[in-house]
């Protein structure tokens, strides 16, 4: 069983930055999803895929994994870059 730890991204539909400081721990899927013959929905018997844990920091998430013997991979957040433009740049 392995897990990935990443920081929550900013919601693209909102201008606020709420809940972007939390870190998520998600387990990797143990088996592939298969379509149900009756409904056509995709599913699997893996219940760990539904578990998502939140932590205040990456260190807390990694400490949780080490305490419980879970292999983990921390995905670093890419640096934010701003493209500064002025309204006058439209007329150059």
């Amino acid at each position: 069983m392995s897990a990935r730890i990443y920081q929550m991204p900013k919601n693209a539909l909102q201008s606020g930055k709420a809940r972007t400081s939390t870190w998520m721990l998600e387990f990797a899927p143990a088996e592939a999803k298969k379509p149900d013959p009756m409904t056509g929905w995709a599913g699997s018997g893996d219940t760990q895929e539904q578990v998502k844990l939140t932590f205040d920091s990456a260190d807390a998430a990694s400490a949780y994994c080490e305490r419980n013997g879970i292999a983990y991979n921390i995905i670093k957040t890419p640096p934010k870059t701003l493209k500064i433009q002025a309204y006058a740049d439209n007329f150059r």
Side-chain angles (χ1 to χ4, degrees):
M1 170 172 40
S2 65
R4 68 181 184 129
I5 300 170
Y6 63 94
Q7 194 170 17
M8 290 288 296
K10 182 179 131 354
N11 187 353
L13 301 176
Q14 302 281 331
S15 61
K17 295 180 181 167
R19 289 186 269 163
T20 57
S21 62
T22 59
W23 288 79
M24 294 287 293
L25 182 138
E26 286 183 349
F27 292 99
E31 61 183 54
K33 292 186 178 185
K34 296 172 263 184
D36 184 9
M38 184 173 276
T39 62
W41 294 358
S44 69
D46 182 25
T47 57
Q48 287 289 335
E49 192 175 351
Q50 301 170 5
V51 176
K52 295 181 182 178
L53 302 174
T54 58
F55 294 93
D56 292 331
S57 67
D59 295 333
S62 63
Y64 173 81
C65 289
E66 289 173 4
R67 268 195 321 267
N68 294 310
I70 301 169
Y72 63 93
N73 181 19
I74 297 178
I75 300 170
K76 301 284 185 189
T77 306
K80 296 179 175 90
T81 58
L82 296 175
K83 185 177 178 184
I84 306 296
Q85 284 186 320
Y87 179 69
D89 292 341
N90 293 334
F91 303 103
R92 287 187 182 181

